[in-house]
Amino acid sequence: MLPPIENLRALPPPEVTERLLNEPEGQWFDRKSSRIAARDLAKTLVAMANTEGGMIAVGLSRGVCEGVDGQRQAQNGWRQAGLDFTTPPVRYDVILLDCINRQGRNDHLLLITVPPGNQVHSTVGDDVFLRVGDEDRRLSFDQRMELRYDRGDTTFEVTPARTYGHAELDEKSVADYAGSVGHSSPQRLLEARDLIDADGEPSTAGILLFGVNPQRAYPQAYVRVLKYSGRERRTGTEQNLVSDVRCEGTLPTQIDTAQVALREAMPKRRALGPDGRFGWLDIVPEEVWLEALVNAVIHRAYSNFGDHIRLEVFDDRLEVSNPGRFPGIASVDDLDDVRRFARNPRIARAMADLSYGQELGEGLRRMVAVMESGGRQRPIVRQSSGGVTVTLLGEIIGPGELTALSPLARVVLRQLSLAGRRSTGELMRLASCSRPVALRALRELESLGMVRWVGNSPSDPRAYWTTEPG
């Protein structure tokens, strides 16, 4: 992990050079040659400001340190790139850092620190970029309009916490955070992460992460773990709720508490484990449900005061319900190609610092890979007007059944897994096939118990196919 600027400043120039040359480029770090034009630098400034912020080191290229001392005129252009080539201007800090160039001489690198923006930034050429891994991705017109709409949720985390009531930080939690990233000053670290303002007042993100009793100001900011007996949710005199654990406190505490509760609640089956021995294993692998839990806590819409995160455990599945839809630029039509966008970039960055996530945009893809490699269906993601529900089915599909499916049946199963339910007509359109061909694939899946038809009669206009259990 890239150390804070204060730590870099304390290193001898040779170590600074080696550290920044060896640091992998990614979500929060990029290297630029000393030959880069200010107009081109603006693309990365825009991308980082529109996502989660980051650091740009100018003067490094292709594994060597060029330095910037020989580019006096260009330095002025880099410093003014935000004013000259971005709209509205991206704000950032610039410092010169001592280094050793490829000739073995004392030189400097120009380090640019970009905080997350509170609005959508573009270049003067009217292009909008997002930082996705180590790339600056250009958005289409529709995507940039969705980004502009979704930016409203993003700014909520920088709202002064006192707006909503109690706003006191827990000193020990803050000190532990600074220690985990090797920062000498907790105060400056919180300022650098936009978790407190210049006067030391905590933001919403700061209180949710490190506050004393965050629920006093944000009463619905908690996780609830519910376990039901059976495969369905009953109410009234037939209610089948077995346990109900409310996980409060800071966001890291919520995850830790919910993880313990889920381990206790998750149904088990006896099977051969990764260590080559038979034992009792969760019906849904822990690395999958833990990823779902962490994603929910980091990416929920905290501006939605009316709901909380629910993890509902049934005999055959886990359902994770999360306030807040996927951002408009993130499509759930293909879980293998979900475009990264953090609704809460400051929370996401701090949680990654605490090793609760890598923030590489790979969580859903990893969940899909683990579920399918274990013979289970991929996660089912459904959106409503107010949130997202991820269903993780525990049923093991027989060995070879997935690979034995016809290509069209695999396409149909994938589309049903994504949506939860589809009509025959919708599946015909998505699979680009005729009705008889689509029905043949559906009957193939039905015979294996992978899908079921729900309707009152063959002519029922509301009938649909689903992967959900009956």
Side-chain angles (χ1 to χ4, degrees), residues 236-314:
T237 58
E238 296 184 347
Q239 187 181 76
N240 55 334
L241 183 63
V242 176
S243 64
D244 184 351
V245 180
R246 180 167 164 155
C247 309
E248 297 185 327
T250 63
L251 302 188
T253 299
Q254 290 179 36
I255 290 175
D256 293 343
T257 307
Q259 184 175 5
V260 172
L262 273 173
R263 282 177 178 158
E264 179 68 25
M266 189 63 64
K268 305 289 193 293
R269 65 182 182 87
R270 185 168 174 80
L272 187 65
D275 58 357
R277 298 182 179 181
F278 279 92
W280 293 98
L281 306 178
D282 291 349
I283 61 166
V284 175
E286 178 167 337
E287 61 183 301
V288 175
W289 60 250
L290 182 57
E291 181 72 38
L293 164 63
V294 171
N295 280 346
V297 171
I298 291 176
H299 299 299
R300 71 153 282 182
Y302 285 98
S303 57
N304 182 345
F305 278 75
D307 202 1
H308 53 270
I309 297 169
R310 287 183 301 282
L311 295 99
E312 297 175 283
V313 182
F314 298 87

Side-chain angles (χ1 to χ4, degrees), residues 423 457-463:
S423 67
S457 70
S459 58
D460 185 353
R462 295 185 297 272

Side-chain angles (χ1 to χ4, degrees), residues 58-353:
V58 181
L60 302 171
S61 177
R62 298 184 179 181
V64 299
C65 179
E66 303 167 330
V68 299
D69 286 356
Q71 303 287 343
R72 298 291 183 182
Q73 187 172 354
Q75 286 187 39
N76 291 329
W78 299 330
R79 290 175 182 271
Q80 298 171 15
L83 287 173
D84 295 340
F85 299 108
T86 70
T87 305
V90 172
R91 65 184 180 98
Y92 52 90
D93 296 318
V94 178
I95 67 165
L96 287 174
L97 203 62
D98 292 336
C99 69
I100 303 296
N101 65 23
R102 58 184 167 188
Q103 284 84 30
R105 300 172 184 165
N106 290 328
D107 210 316
H108 291 90
L109 298 172
L110 188 124
L111 257 62
I112 301 173
T113 305
V114 185
N118 295 331
Q119 52 192 318
V120 177
H121 297 271
S122 65
T123 65
V124 291
D126 202 31
D127 288 325
V128 175
F129 295 87
L130 277 189
R131 187 73 179 174
V132 182
D134 61 354
E135 299 178 7
D136 301 329
R137 297 270 187 93
R138 182 178 178 274
L139 300 187
S140 67
F141 178 79
D142 288 342
Q143 288 169 337
R144 66 185 290 178
M145 290 299 101
E146 292 286 358
L147 176 63
R148 197 175 301 277
Y149 174 79
D150 289 318
R151 185 56 72 183
D153 276 335
T154 303
T155 58
F156 178 76
E157 64 173 357
V158 294
T159 304
R162 63 178 180 272
T163 304
Y164 302 102
H166 188 68
E168 179 185 355
L169 293 174
D170 181 74
E171 293 183 5
K172 183 179 184 306
S173 296
V174 172
D176 289 345
Y177 173 46
S180 69
V181 298
H183 202 291
S184 58
S185 170
Q187 180 86 2
R188 289 202 301 272
L189 176 60
L190 294 183
E191 288 180 7
R193 293 290 189 263
D194 262 358
L195 302 177
I196 59 174
D197 63 19
D199 297 324
E201 289 291 334
S203 65
T204 289
I207 291 298
L208 289 171
L209 286 161
F210 307 116
V212 176
N213 191 7
Q215 284 68 43
R216 287 180 62 182
Y218 310 96
Q220 292 295 327
Y222 66 91
V223 175
R224 192 175 173 192
V225 179
L226 305 107
K227 180 177 174 60
Y228 293 90
S229 173
R231 298 189 174 193
E232 60 184 337
R233 190 184 300 104
R234 298 193 184 99
T235 59
T237 58
E238 296 184 347
Q239 187 181 76
N240 55 334
L241 183 63
V242 176
S243 64
D244 184 351
V245 180
R246 180 167 164 155
C247 309
E248 297 185 327
T250 63
L251 302 188
T253 299
Q254 290 179 36
I255 290 175
D256 293 343
T257 307
Q259 184 175 5
V260 172
L262 273 173
R263 282 177 178 158
E264 179 68 25
M266 189 63 64
K268 305 289 193 293
R269 65 182 182 87
R270 185 168 174 80
L272 187 65
D275 58 357
R277 298 182 179 181
F278 279 92
W280 293 98
L281 306 178
D282 291 349
I283 61 166
V284 175
E286 178 167 337
E287 61 183 301
V288 175
W289 60 250
L290 182 57
E291 181 72 38
L293 164 63
V294 171
N295 280 346
V297 171
I298 291 176
H299 299 299
R300 71 153 282 182
Y302 285 98
S303 57
N304 182 345
F305 278 75
D307 202 1
H308 53 270
I309 297 169
R310 287 183 301 282
L311 295 99
E312 297 175 283
V313 182
F314 298 87
D315 287 355
D316 62 338
R317 69 192 186 280
L318 168 67
E319 293 185 5
V320 182
S321 300
N322 193 25
R325 291 170 55 84
F326 270 97
I329 58 170
S331 171
V332 297
D333 289 339
D334 187 352
L335 298 185
D336 296 321
D337 189 33
V338 172
R339 190 181 293 268
R340 171 182 174 75
F341 176 77
R343 172 179 279 111
N344 309 303
R346 296 159 186 84
I347 289 174
R349 180 68 184 274
M351 293 296 280
D353 287 341

